[in-house]
Amino acid sequence: MKQCAKKWKTFRGSVRPFVNFNAKHDAEVLHKAMKGIGTDEDTILMLLAARSNDQRQQIKAAYKKAYGKDLLSALKSELGGLLESLIVALMTPPRSYDASQLHKALKGAGTDDDVLIEILASRTGEQVKDVIKVYKKEFGSKLEKDVCGDTSGHYQKLLVILLQVEDVYLPQQDLYAAGEGKFGTDEEKFITILGNRSAEHLRKVFDAYKKLSGSDIEDSIKGETTGNLEGLLLAVVKCAKSVPEYFAESLYKSMRRAGTDDDTLMRIMVSRSEVDMLDIRACFKKMYGESLHTTIQEDTSGDYQKALLYLCGGND
């Protein structure tokens, strides 16, 4: 599949900072929307979806100053269900949101491996470093320790390597030798190479691997590994090739399988809205022949749907 993400580094989010921003004014508007009988959900959605996360934090502070109340608590008491979860996510600083999602994934009943895989495979090295700091501060424990307590084997090892945020440069031949070049799989080597966070280096490795082995790295992973390890390895490879493509595929699966996976849908729409949503939309259209906007429309409803469409930012 050809890369559908643009190479130039301009702003690729669907949500950008609001130009004539006034935190005090926004706090007043939200206060009015929640005052009295009934809640004006539409006003809340439109306002918050049209502000950057940084601006939302300023509104939070202005609201506290003007009304002596916590804006998040006020919103939670007025909203419910999926819409409440989405608004809470929008009001949380990005790395704090990642940390809380990881904590929930590790500390809930069973481990939500999809969340661990998505966040640790797709975030940049700097972002992972920040998440580790925030996690320690907010939950009083080390992310690596919690990951190790909840996972095992080569899957655990690769998660830990991704948490180290180090670039490991190893020759392409090593990957071939580790995979199909010799009978069985030297998973240790596979993992060490794929745990390298330089996407550029990894793409060169994948090209060389294909030339040497005649097969695509993803096919080798599918043939040689299973379960969570396979899921994590594939996510790392896909993110090295194109992060927007990886998220387009995850969004498609969250809506086009039996029942909607709202947790995944929400997490991606919120966490990528200021990063690369425009690229994700372009990839989605190219990969599936339908727009992300239309797919969300067909798969969700009510104010929750409206909020997701605001974050999507347009139809393609």
Side-chain angles (χ1 to χ4, degrees):
M1 194 187 294
K2 280 199 178 76
Q3 295 245 324
C4 55
K6 301 279 184 292
K7 285 285 171 277
W8 26 271
K9 274 279 174 234
T10 50
F11 187 84
R12 302 302 291 157
S14 52
V15 174
R16 13 180 106 232
F18 190 67
V19 185
N20 301 311
F21 177 63
N22 180 332
K24 191 166 174 260
H25 173 261
D26 286 352
E28 273 169 40
V29 172
L30 290 173
H31 183 66
K32 278 187 192 134
M34 293 186 280
K35 223 167 81 175
I37 299 161
T39 305
D40 183 353
E41 279 98 352
D42 220 29
T43 297
I44 296 172
L45 302 182
M46 280 182 74
L47 190 143
L48 293 177
R51 304 293 183 271
S52 68
N53 193 286
D54 186 50
Q55 289 175 335
R56 290 179 209 129
Q57 304 316 315
Q58 292 176 55
I59 297 168
K60 213 190 266 185
Y63 188 91
K64 179 94 177 180
K65 197 176 170 186
Y67 307 104
K69 283 189 293 195
D70 178 52
L71 176 56
L72 205 51
S73 305
L75 287 165
K76 278 179 173 176
S77 68
E78 296 292 329
L79 307 166
L82 290 168
L83 181 63
E84 181 190 324
S85 305
L86 182 60
I87 295 295
V88 168
L90 283 175
M91 292 301 298
T92 312
R95 300 293 75 87
S96 193
Y97 180 61
D98 282 348
S100 69
Q101 291 292 302
L102 289 168
H103 188 255
K104 201 169 97 185
L106 291 161
K107 294 299 172 194
T111 308
D112 189 340
D113 292 291
D114 290 348
V115 175
L116 296 186
I117 290 170
E118 180 195 298
I119 293 176
L120 294 181
S122 68
R123 302 302 188 255
T124 65
E126 284 310 305
Q127 288 170 344
V128 170
K129 281 180 188 167
D130 289 342
V131 171
I132 291 167
K133 278 184 203 143
V134 173
Y135 190 93
K136 178 94 168 73
K137 193 178 164 200
E138 292 187 7
F139 304 108
S141 59
K142 285 189 173 163
L143 179 54
E144 186 179 323
K145 184 170 166 276
D146 289 352
V147 164
C148 288
D150 246 39
T151 57
S152 61
H154 291 300
Y155 171 58
Q156 178 197 77
K157 191 167 183 201
L158 181 50
L159 287 170
V160 169
I161 290 173
L162 291 171
L163 284 168
Q164 304 311 311
V165 195
E166 284 167 13
D167 288 348
V168 187
Y169 291 99
L170 288 163
Q172 291 76 317
Q173 286 80 0
D174 280 1
L175 193 56
Y176 176 54
E180 303 186 332
K182 67 175 193 241
F183 188 71
T185 300
D186 181 354
E187 283 175 340
E188 295 275 325
K189 198 160 259 182
F190 235 114
I191 284 161
T192 312
I193 295 168
L194 290 176
N196 161 32
R197 283 206 169 264
S198 165
E200 199 185 338
H201 172 68
L202 282 177
R203 285 194 293 269
K204 284 179 189 157
V205 170
F206 302 154
D207 290 342
Y209 182 83
K210 189 156 187 168
K211 284 191 190 110
L212 285 164
S213 71
S215 62
D216 201 64
I217 182 77
E218 288 173 58
D219 294 331
S220 296
I221 290 169
K222 285 174 192 164
E224 302 268 353
T225 60
T226 56
N228 287 327
L229 176 63
E230 180 189 351
L232 181 57
L233 287 167
L234 287 174
V236 167
V237 169
K238 284 170 184 171
C239 286
K241 288 182 176 178
S242 163
V243 171
E245 245 172 60
Y246 167 73
F247 280 117
E249 185 186 341
S250 297
L251 282 169
Y252 186 80
K253 284 179 181 167
S254 78
M255 292 182 277
R256 286 297 188 238
R257 286 180 168 176
T260 306
D261 176 358
D262 288 297
D263 287 342
T264 299
L265 174 58
M266 213 182 299
R267 192 174 56 248
I268 297 174
M269 294 306 292
V270 169
S271 64
R272 308 314 289 185
S273 60
E274 289 183 57
V275 186
D276 50 6
M277 188 54 71
L278 301 181
D279 292 328
I280 292 170
R281 272 169 40 188
C283 288
F284 195 96
K285 178 89 184 199
K286 191 168 180 181
M287 290 160 76
Y288 303 109
E290 56 187 298
S291 73
L292 177 58
H293 192 277
T294 305
T295 310
I296 291 170
Q297 247 172 344
E298 288 170 3
D299 224 69
T300 57
S301 62
D303 290 317
Y304 170 61
Q305 179 200 76
K306 266 186 204 165
L308 289 170
L309 293 176
Y310 284 140
L311 293 177
C312 180
N315 205 345
D316 301 299

